[in-house]
């Protein structure tokens, strides 16, 4: 009976651990911090740690996020992402931050973050936001946001932000990963390297092959 009880407890413990791993995003840290260092000779899931005794306050610091970024581009937007590549102290902490600047009627186009949920707050502008749920529902959730409003984009789902005001816009986003990743739908599909076969995209998007080839040329030269 005692032996069976131990086995039962061990099974429960293993299942509990598996459950925690299933719901985890970035791995939890096993120490106070793990300041990232780059080693081009090795690849790991994350970053190697510097000796914690060599860490300084600058490893956890980034200046000037209050400064507006240029939006002089075809989309009229600019994303400043502070992930582990910009703040080494974010390594293993499971968070990052982004500032998005919008020109009047500027767009942050449909994209996904494969490794992070995003929570966004509007500081300036009137921002039309939305995300699309997964197949088969493909439901569109949208909201018009004003300064002080907050909206959440679930991990991995296609979403966008569009400044519908004739003034500039600014938002800030928290993301649940030190490296949330970015897939811009149009850029990835039509601007892949090497290009996806036009025959595949023609059938998938039900567009004329000449249109597909034009889009591939357009996005491949601008990504």
């Amino acid at each position: 009976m005692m032996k069976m009880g131990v086995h039962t407890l061990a099974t429960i413990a293993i299942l509990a651990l598996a459950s925690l791993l299933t719901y985890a995003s970035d791995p939890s840290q096993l120490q106070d911090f793990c300041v990232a260092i780059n080693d081009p000779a090795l690849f790991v899931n994350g970053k190697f740690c510097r000796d914690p005794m060599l860490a300084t306050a600058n490893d956890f610091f980034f200046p000037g996020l209050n400064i507006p970024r240029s939006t002089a581009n075809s989309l009229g937007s600019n994303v400043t992402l502070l992930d582990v590549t910009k703040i080494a102290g974010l390594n293993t902490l499971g968070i990052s931050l982004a500032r998005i600047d919008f020109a009047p009627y500027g767009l942050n186009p449909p994209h996904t973050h494969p490794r992070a949920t995003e929570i966004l707050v509007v500081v300036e502008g009137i921002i039309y936001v939305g995300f699309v749920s997964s197949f088969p529902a493909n439901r569109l959730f949208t909201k018009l946001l004003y300064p002080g409003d907050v909206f959440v984009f679930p991990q991995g789902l296609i979403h966008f932000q569009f400044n519908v005001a004739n003034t500039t816009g600014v938002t800030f986003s928290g993301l649940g990963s030190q490296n949330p990743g970015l897939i811009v739908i149009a850029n990835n599909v039509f601007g892949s390297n090497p290009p996806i076969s036009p025959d595949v995209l023609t059938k998938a998007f039900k567009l004329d092959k000449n249109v597909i080839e034009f889009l591939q040329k357009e996005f491949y030269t601008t990504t």
Side-chain angles (χ1 to χ4, degrees):
M1 181 66 70
M2 179 70 71
K3 188 174 182 180
M4 183 175 294
V6 171
H7 287 168
T8 301
L9 287 174
T11 302
I12 292 171
I14 292 170
L15 290 174
L17 179 59
S19 177
L20 287 173
L21 292 174
T22 298
Y23 287 101
S25 180
D26 288 3
S28 297
Q29 69 270 25
L30 298 177
Q31 60 281 316
D32 287 343
F33 51 82
C34 172
V35 176
I37 57 173
N38 290 313
D39 188 336
L42 296 170
F43 294 90
V44 296
N45 185 27
K47 299 281 187 180
F48 285 105
C49 302
R50 181 182 305 160
D51 182 341
M53 296 305 295
L54 301 178
T56 70
N58 284 335
D59 292 320
F60 306 90
F61 173 75
F62 182 92
L65 200 59
N66 61 310
I67 300 171
R69 270 56 177 180
S70 172
T71 56
N73 55 62
S74 60
L75 293 172
S77 68
N78 191 326
V79 179
T80 304
L81 175 65
L82 303 185
D83 61 6
V84 70
T85 65
K86 299 286 182 23
I87 303 177
L90 286 177
N91 193 37
T92 75
L93 299 185
I95 58 170
S96 54
L97 177 70
R99 171 184 174 130
I100 311 176
D101 288 275
F102 297 89
Y105 309 109
L107 172 69
N108 190 20
H111 62 281
T112 74
H113 301 294
R115 294 180 289 277
T117 292
E118 175 180 355
I119 183 167
L120 175 145
V121 60
V122 177
V123 177
E124 297 176 15
I126 303 173
I127 313 297
Y128 175 64
V129 302
F131 68 85
V132 181
S133 68
S134 59
F135 180 84
N138 296 332
R139 289 186 62 197
L140 174 63
F141 297 80
T142 65
K143 195 75 176 175
L144 199 59
L145 304 183
Y146 297 86
D149 289 345
V150 173
F151 197 80
V152 173
F153 305 100
Q155 180 174 339
L157 297 187
I158 296 173
H159 60 282
F160 59 86
Q161 299 101 17
F162 179 44
N163 181 22
V164 298
N166 61 2
T167 58
T168 58
V170 178
T171 65
F172 288 89
S173 291
L175 299 114
S177 172
Q178 69 181 41
N179 180 23
L182 176 65
I183 298 172
V184 181
I185 307 306
N187 298 55
N188 281 58
V189 171
F190 296 109
S192 66
N193 183 20
I196 299 172
S197 167
D199 293 328
V200 172
L201 298 181
T202 297
K203 191 163 187 176
F205 288 95
K206 299 180 173 61
L207 293 173
D208 185 88
K209 190 172 183 178
N210 291 329
V211 174
I212 294 293
E213 290 175 343
F214 169 80
L215 290 171
Q216 288 186 309
K217 182 178 179 181
E218 183 73 12
F219 281 95
Y220 188 74
T221 57
T222 58
T223 55

